[in-house]
Amino acid sequence: MILSTRRYRFAAAHVLANPALPDDENRRIYGKCANPNGHGHDYGLEVTVTGTVDPVTGSIVPQELLDSIVRERVLDRLSHRMLNADPLFADRVPTAENIALAVRESLEKPLEDAAGVRLVNVRVVETPRNFFDHGEAP
Ligand code: NI
């Protein structure tokens, strides 16, 4: 199986707080990340797909096509936005874990339908010290 991974970046802001919890509980769980004014990250995003190598192009998916799907479905939507305001996070706190889930949900079907590839993993890199993978079950 050949895996193809492409890296992207987007800047976005969030507040880590669950509206269902009291303020002091949110501060206890999320620390200063619960500050209601929010804060930003320069997120790294890695999208890994697999598929058949096209005998004509020698590629699993044309890079232009992959880029256009990721741009349209994810980057244009989340870039320079307050993530908490996006319906993708209406029912979940926009942690990097949930960003990875939301990106996977946003890309899985379009990648299959428009590019004929299977999304294997979504990695969201939040800081130099933490990243999160939403991949297939082993
Ligand atoms: Ni943060």
Side-chain angles (χ1 to χ4, degrees):
M1 177 167 81
I2 297 181
L3 301 176
S4 170
T5 299
R6 188 106 163 121
R7 288 191 173 133
Y8 304 92
R9 300 203 74 83
F10 67 96
H14 66 179
V15 175
L16 294 186
N18 185 331
L21 298 174
D23 288 349
D24 59 340
E25 183 71 357
N26 277 315
R27 272 195 300 276
R28 193 183 64 75
I29 297 169
Y30 301 108
K32 60 186 179 184
C33 293
N35 183 324
N37 292 324
H39 61 276
H41 291 277
D42 190 19
Y43 288 100
L45 173 66
E46 296 178 15
V47 174
T48 301
V49 299
T50 191
T52 311
V53 177
D54 185 307
V56 176
T57 64
S59 295
I60 294 172
V61 55
Q63 232 150 56
E64 290 285 325
L65 178 58
L66 180 61
D67 287 354
S68 70
I69 293 168
V70 174
R71 194 182 316 120
E72 189 183 307
R73 301 289 176 154
V74 175
L75 304 178
D76 287 352
R77 178 169 185 167
L78 301 183
S79 215
H80 297 88
R81 299 292 165 86
M82 176 52 114
L83 297 178
N84 302 67
D86 191 292
L88 282 171
F89 303 102
D91 298 316
R92 53 192 168 189
V93 181
T95 57
E97 292 94 318
N98 279 335
I99 295 170
L101 284 168
V103 169
R104 182 161 188 129
E105 290 164 9
S106 303
L107 287 179
E108 205 156 33
K109 193 164 160 40
L111 283 173
E112 199 176 321
D113 291 351
V117 292
R118 189 160 53 86
L119 181 59
V120 173
N121 193 60
V122 169
R123 171 172 290 184
V124 172
V125 182
E126 190 171 54
T127 73
R129 293 178 64 197
N130 64 354
F131 60 85
F132 301 86
D133 290 299
H134 185 26
E136 295 176 336

